[in-house]
Amino acid sequence: MPKLIIPDYALFGNPVNHSKSPQIHKLFSKQIDILYNYESINIPMNNFSDIIFSFFKSNGKGANITAPFKEKAYLLADRLTNSAKISKSVNTFKKINNKYILGDNTDGIGLLSDLLRLHFIEKHFSILILGAGGAVRGILFSLLSFGCSVSILNRTLLHAEKLVFEFNQFGKIDILTKNSTTNKKFDLIINATSRNINYETDFFCVSLVSSKTFFYDMNYQIGYTPFINWCIKIGAKYFSDGIGMLVFQAAHSCFLWHNILPSVNPVIKTLKKKDNF
Ligand code: ATR
């Protein structure tokens, strides 16, 4: 029987078949001149901890964790960085001294870095976030501690309330409902909903935007995402999908593993050229 080769670094999630992460880490590996194997591994929904423990017992040195396991990963880590503790969600593991598993979350710094690269964010911006799932949990601390105020608009009010309750100690955060009456114009709108949503009927935020509003979709795909299509339809001038965030969060994982922060711009450029993002 052929021997199963276990990579030293891997992405675990469900589904991960179309993930760009192996390609990104291959480019990082070349760039920083450290050879590391990184593969994506699709795992069943029910035995996450067994799989992670056996990965680290064999070759595993580091891992990325994606949906829907980030909260499970938070519970499994032996130790946590500050950002993982605050977000209660982990997207990066590192085995330390062959003894324990450290959990980190690089999503927040990944998003903030990309917004800065695009010049889409300034301190004291008011930001509207669409969605209140796991993806939002990972980014709130970075946005609030940068100095921005955040409003959350979500289908299920209770999920938004829970986040506001947990994160209001870090800055100005409140809830917006479809029926809220406000004259406020948001500087930046971030889409953190994960499905194909009808933005016209589900999110009535046309009155909340100005000609200067920036739009950022944490999702990405070949061609425009449904959210970006909606932004274009309402006349948005400044919009971006989340491919840059993906590369930045990967760069910060690479930094945790190898102590070198790779440059992201050439990698974003390569991905965009290759896939026509
Ligand atoms: P993730 O953990 O990746 O953030 P998620 O938890 O499945 O993904 O949900 C992401 C967000 O998309 C949630 O805020 C969810 O709203 P609920 O809190 O009401 O579940 C939102 N969402 C998913 N499908 C939706 C839909 N059809 N209409 C509106 N919001 C939707």
Side-chain angles (χ1 to χ4, degrees):
M1 227 167 91
K3 199 170 171 250
L4 192 69
I5 300 185
I6 298 174
D8 37 5
Y9 294 87
L11 166 71
F12 294 94
N14 185 339
V16 289
N17 310 345
H18 300 292
S19 169
K20 301 262 159 242
S21 295
Q23 199 185 335
I24 292 169
H25 283 284
K26 214 175 184 176
L27 293 166
F28 286 165
S29 167
K30 249 194 206 159
Q31 193 194 114
I32 65 172
D33 211 12
I34 295 178
L35 195 65
Y36 63 101
N37 296 319
Y38 183 107
E39 280 173 28
S40 53
I41 301 175
N42 206 59
I43 56 175
M45 302 300 280
N46 52 6
N47 52 353
F48 175 74
S49 32
D50 289 348
I51 290 170
I52 297 299
F53 283 134
S54 81
F55 170 74
F56 281 112
K57 237 182 172 171
S58 26
N59 244 7
K61 295 190 178 100
N64 281 134
I65 307 300
T66 189
F69 299 113
K70 290 184 188 181
E71 276 106 37
K72 279 192 178 162
Y74 162 77
L75 297 173
L76 186 145
D78 299 310
R79 294 189 198 174
L80 296 163
T81 62
N82 228 13
S83 61
K85 238 182 250 169
I86 290 168
S87 62
K88 296 201 176 96
S89 124
V90 159
N91 79 332
T92 310
F93 281 139
K94 181 183 184 180
K95 193 156 128 184
I96 308 274
N97 297 336
N98 233 355
K99 276 194 196 137
Y100 63 91
I101 301 172
L102 174 71
D104 188 16
N105 192 312
T106 65
D107 288 331
I109 183 78
L111 172 66
L112 185 60
S113 307
D114 199 36
L115 291 171
L116 287 165
R117 174 187 73 97
L118 294 160
H119 305 287
F120 272 23
I121 194 165
E122 281 174 31
K123 286 176 202 289
H124 313 300
F125 258 22
S126 54
I127 301 176
L128 175 65
I129 298 182
L130 309 180
V136 179
R137 180 166 279 293
I139 61 167
L140 279 178
F141 178 66
S142 289
L143 298 174
L144 291 169
S145 51
F146 186 68
C148 298
S149 61
V150 171
S151 299
I152 298 182
L153 176 61
N154 192 50
R155 176 180 59 180
T156 310
L157 186 61
L158 189 67
H159 297 162
E161 283 173 343
K162 197 164 176 282
L163 287 178
V164 170
F165 179 74
E166 271 181 60
F167 284 88
N168 67 11
Q169 59 184 303
F170 302 114
K172 234 176 130 221
I173 176 166
D174 61 15
I175 292 172
L176 200 81
T177 63
K178 265 165 56 169
N179 307 320
S180 300
T181 46
T182 172
N183 296 325
K184 198 166 173 175
K185 304 282 179 199
F186 286 92
D187 300 302
L188 167 64
I189 299 187
I190 297 174
N191 179 37
T193 57
S194 55
R195 319 263 148 96
N196 260 348
I197 284 168
N198 186 338
Y199 293 96
E200 273 163 80
T201 53
D202 290 341
F203 294 107
F204 287 101
C205 50
V206 177
S207 64
L208 305 171
V209 310
S210 77
S211 59
K212 291 188 199 145
T213 302
F214 298 101
F215 295 83
Y216 191 90
D217 193 350
M218 285 171 61
N219 302 304
Y220 55 86
Q221 64 183 51
I222 294 174
Y224 288 141
T225 62
F227 178 71
I228 298 283
N229 274 323
W230 175 76
C231 295
I232 292 169
K233 203 166 159 192
I234 63 166
K237 282 198 238 144
Y238 314 105
F239 50 84
S240 173
D241 67 14
I243 195 72
M245 174 184 174
L246 178 76
V247 179
F248 270 110
Q249 62 79 30
H252 284 274
S253 295
C254 181
F255 179 70
L256 184 75
W257 298 330
H258 306 296
N259 239 351
I260 303 175
L261 189 65
S263 310
V264 297
N265 282 335
V267 176
I268 294 174
K269 216 167 149 189
T270 306
L271 291 181
K272 284 195 170 166
K273 201 161 31 173
K274 194 164 175 288
D275 287 333
N276 274 329
F277 274 105

